[in-house]
């Protein structure tokens, strides 16, 4: 269980943090929380793809 790696750990955490902060400020928490999670997951997926491409070449 200790060797299990999460796919989207850091980006999603940052997305939740920033999405919550912006959502509270603007008054539309649901929208910004959703956008924050989506952007964070996209950042992590892009980072993983870059790491994968470096291993191939």
């Amino acid at each position: 269980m200790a060797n299990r790696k999460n796919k989207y750990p850091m980006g999603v955490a940052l997305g939740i943090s920033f999405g919550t902060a912006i959502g509270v400020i603007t008054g539309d928490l649901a929208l910004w929380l959703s956008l924050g999670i989506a952007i964070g997951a996209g950042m992590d997926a892009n980072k993983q793809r870059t790491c994968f491409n470096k291993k191939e070449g």
Side-chain angles (χ1 to χ4, degrees):
M1 193 97 165
N3 292 333
R4 193 175 120 190
K5 294 184 179 179
N6 294 330
K7 285 188 176 182
Y8 307 109
M10 193 60 166
V12 172
L14 287 173
I16 290 171
S17 300
F18 287 120
T20 302
I22 294 172
V24 168
I25 291 170
T26 61
D28 196 1
L29 184 61
L31 171 69
W32 285 103
L33 187 59
S34 302
L35 286 175
I37 292 171
I39 291 170
M43 287 177 6
D44 274 341
N46 189 28
K47 184 172 78 173
Q48 287 180 354
R49 186 179 316 132
T50 303
C51 292
F52 181 73
N53 287 340
K54 286 181 182 178
K55 289 179 185 177
E56 283 184 347

